[in-house]
Amino acid sequence: MRIRGKIFENIISLLSINVLGYAISFISFPWLTRVLGVANFGLMNYAMGLCALINVFVAYSFGFTASRDIAVCRDNNEKCMQVFSSVFYTKIILMMISAVAYFGILFIFFQNSNYLLYAASFLVVVGEAIFPAWFFQGIEKMKFITYFVTTARLVSLLCILLFVRTHDDFVLATFFQSSTTVFAGICSLIYLFNTRREFLKFPQISVILYQLRQGVPYFYSNILTNIYTKSSIVVLGLFTTNEMVGYYSIAVKFMNASKQVIDTVGQALFPRVSNLFIHDKKSAESFLRCWRKRLVFMGAGITAAVFIFAPFIVVLLAGHFYEQTIHILRIIIFIPFIVSFTNIYLILVLIPLSYTRIYTKIMTISALINICSMLPLIYFYGAYGAAVNSIVSEFFVACASVYYVKKLHIFPSNLL
C-alpha cells in the first residue's frame, strides 16, 4: 500500500502541473493570439522551436540515464551525490558550449533580424541545464517539481498579463515563457543548497567524461527522436507563412497538452520500474501489466474526446475559430493513443533493461522515415502534411517497440 500510495502521489504531483498548465493556457493562449496576432505568435514559436532543438544537446541522455541511475542508488547517499554532481555540471558545461555557438551565430547572421527574440528564447536552454527535475524524479519526490514549476508558471503568467499589451511585445512574451524553467531551477538549487549542499560540489573531470561516454547511444537516439517531434515547425517555417506556423503551433500545443497526460504517468512510473527490474523482475511484470491497461485506456479516451470536441476546444482556448487549426488538431490528436503503447513497451521496458542497441535502431529507422517523408509532405500539404508525418513516425516507434518486447521474450508470460 505504501508503494502504491507513493506512485499515485507522484502521478498526482506531476498531473497537477499539467492541470495548472491547462489553466494557464486557458488564459494565456487567447491573450497571446489576440494581442500578438497569429503572425507574431508563429514567429515566437519558431524562435522557441529552434532553442528546443538546442535543448536536445544540453539534455543529452540524462532524462533517462540520470533518473534511472538515481532510482537505483537512491539509498546510497555517496553514490547518489556522485551521480547528481556529475550530471548537473555536465549539463552546465554543455549549456555553456551551446551559448557560445548560438550567440556567435546570432551575432554574425541575425543582428538586424529579431536578435532579442532569439536571445530571449535561449532561456529555455538555461532552464534545461539548471533545473534537476531528473533528480527529483529518480528519488520519487516529484512534489518538489510541482512546487517549483507551479510557482514559476504563475509568475510567468502574471508577467504576461501585466506587460504583454501590444503586438510588438512578442519579445517580452518569449522572455516570460522561456524563463519559467530558469525560475524553477533557481528555486530547486536554493533547496538543494540548504538540504544537500555536498551535492553541488564540482566533480572530477573523469566522472564528467564517464557520464558523457555512457550517454552517447541515448544522446544519439534523443537527437533522432527530436527530428520528428520538434523540427516540423522549423521546416514548416521555411516552406510556409508565419500564419500557417501559428495555426500548426496552436494545434501542436493542444496535442502536447493531451499527450503530456500519458507521458506524465510514464515519467512517474519510470523510476519505480527501473528499481523493480533490478530487485524483482516478476513484480515488474505484474506492475507493467496493470498499468498497460490504464495507459491505453487513457490514451484512447483523450484522443476520442479531443477529436469530437476539437472546434469547441480551439475556440475556447485560442479565442478564435481557426478552421485550419481544427483540421490539424483532428489529425495529430491520434498521437496520445499511439504514445500510450510507446510508454509501456519502450520507455518502461526496453530502456530500464538497457536494450540500448534496439532503442537506437528503432529511433534511427523512425528518423529516416521522418526525413524521407517530411519535406515532400510539408512542401505539398503544408501543416496537414506535418501532422501526418508526426503520426507516421510515432506509429512506427510504437509498433517496433511492441514487436521487440514480444520477440525478445523479456517476460515469461505475454505482456501483450
Side-chain angles (χ1 to χ4, degrees):
M1 288 298 293
R2 187 178 66 86
I3 294 177
R4 178 177 296 182
K6 186 69 173 179
I7 291 171
F8 277 105
E9 177 188 325
N10 291 330
I11 292 175
I12 292 172
S13 294
L14 294 180
L15 285 178
S16 65
I17 298 177
N18 293 330
V19 172
L20 176 66
Y22 303 149
I24 290 177
S25 297
F26 182 82
I27 301 171
S28 64
F29 267 30
W31 183 269
L32 290 175
T33 53
R34 289 170 182 168
V35 173
L36 300 181
V38 176
N40 283 342
F41 183 78
L43 181 61
M44 178 183 68
N45 279 276
Y46 182 76
M48 295 182 70
L50 288 175
C51 285
L53 293 177
I54 299 174
N55 248 4
V56 178
F57 177 67
V58 176
Y60 204 60
S61 62
F62 300 129
F64 292 135
T65 58
S67 58
R68 181 188 63 193
D69 293 345
I70 292 291
V72 172
C73 70
R74 61 191 174 202
D75 295 326
N76 185 332
N77 190 66
E78 185 68 25
K79 179 65 176 177
C80 193
M81 179 185 69
Q82 183 181 25
V83 173
F84 178 89
S85 61
S86 60
V87 171
F88 179 76
Y89 285 106
T90 300
K91 295 186 73 171
I92 295 295
I93 292 173
L94 293 176
M95 184 267 291
M96 294 171 66
I97 294 173
S98 300
V100 172
Y102 181 76
F103 287 105
I105 293 173
L106 285 182
F107 181 77
I108 296 172
F109 297 105
F110 294 94
Q111 282 186 330
N112 298 317
S113 180
N114 295 312
Y115 179 87
L116 290 177
L117 171 68
Y118 292 106
S121 65
F122 189 78
L123 287 173
V124 172
V125 182
V126 177
E128 170 63 36
I130 68 173
F131 183 38
W134 46 270
F135 172 72
F136 296 111
Q137 180 188 357
I139 62 175
E140 293 192 81
K141 291 186 178 180
M142 299 172 196
K143 61 182 179 181
F144 291 105
I145 301 177
T146 304
Y147 298 154
F148 301 142
V149 173
T150 296
T151 303
R153 286 182 173 176
L154 290 176
V155 171
S156 174
L157 174 62
L158 181 62
C159 290
I160 288 174
L161 295 179
L162 288 177
F163 300 108
V164 179
R165 292 291 182 173
T166 70
H167 70 279
D168 293 325
D169 290 334
F170 58 91
V171 175
L172 276 178
T174 304
F175 173 80
F176 294 137
Q177 292 189 94
S178 300
S179 59
T180 299
T181 49
V182 176
F183 186 93
I186 293 173
C187 291
S188 65
L189 292 179
I190 293 173
Y191 167 78
L192 289 171
F193 183 80
N194 290 322
T195 59
R196 307 192 187 203
R197 186 173 303 184
E198 69 277 8
F199 277 38
L200 298 176
K201 292 181 180 179
F202 194 85
Q204 295 180 350
I205 298 298
S206 60
V207 180
I208 292 178
L209 293 176
Y210 169 77
Q211 286 291 345
L212 291 172
R213 284 195 301 269
Q214 79 157 350
V216 167
Y218 288 105
F219 174 56
Y220 168 71
S221 299
N222 284 343
I223 293 176
L224 298 178
T225 300
N226 280 270
I227 288 177
Y228 66 81
T229 58
K230 294 179 180 177
S231 62
S232 293
I233 289 180
V234 177
V235 176
L236 192 63
L238 298 176
F239 288 101
T240 64
T241 63
N242 286 335
E243 285 80 3
M244 188 55 69
V245 174
Y247 294 137
Y248 181 77
S249 297
I250 294 171
V252 169
K253 284 184 179 293
F254 292 157
M255 183 278 295
N256 283 335
S258 303
K259 174 177 170 290
Q260 191 64 37
V261 176
I262 305 299
D263 289 339
T264 296
V265 176
Q267 183 182 4
L269 300 178
F270 181 79
R272 176 60 55 181
V273 170
S274 299
N275 190 278
L276 286 176
F277 272 128
I278 295 296
H279 301 103
D280 191 349
K281 187 175 180 180
K282 188 173 182 180
S283 295
E285 179 182 2
S286 300
F287 183 83
L288 288 170
R289 189 183 302 280
C290 173
W291 280 100
R292 178 205 59 182
K293 297 177 181 178
R294 296 173 181 175
L295 276 174
V296 172
F297 179 79
M298 290 171 61
I302 290 170
T303 293
V306 175
F307 185 91
I308 294 171
F309 297 106
F312 175 76
I313 293 172
V314 171
V315 173
L316 183 65
L317 298 183
H320 294 281
F321 187 85
Y322 294 129
E323 186 175 355
Q324 294 93 330
T325 297
I326 294 171
H327 295 322
I328 296 168
L329 180 59
R330 279 180 163 166
I331 297 172
I332 208 169
I333 197 55
F334 282 92
I335 287 181
F337 174 65
I338 297 171
V339 165
S340 65
F341 290 92
T342 304
N343 266 273
I344 287 293
Y345 295 97
L346 182 64
I347 306 301
L348 297 179
V349 177
L350 295 178
I351 291 179
L353 290 174
S354 298
Y355 281 101
T356 307
R357 290 186 178 179
I358 292 177
Y359 176 70
T360 303
K361 182 179 181 180
I362 292 174
M363 294 304 158
T364 301
I365 297 175
S366 176
L368 291 174
I369 293 173
N370 186 277
I371 292 171
C372 292
S373 59
M374 179 188 297
L375 293 178
L377 281 173
I378 291 179
Y379 181 80
F380 288 107
Y381 302 104
Y384 302 106
V388 171
N389 191 54
S390 297
I391 289 286
V392 171
S393 300
E394 294 288 358
F395 183 74
F396 171 80
V397 173
C399 290
S401 301
V402 174
Y403 168 77
Y404 277 110
V405 169
K406 184 176 182 179
K407 179 183 178 181
L408 293 169
H409 302 289
I410 293 174
F411 300 105
S413 57
N414 192 1
L415 187 63
L416 298 177

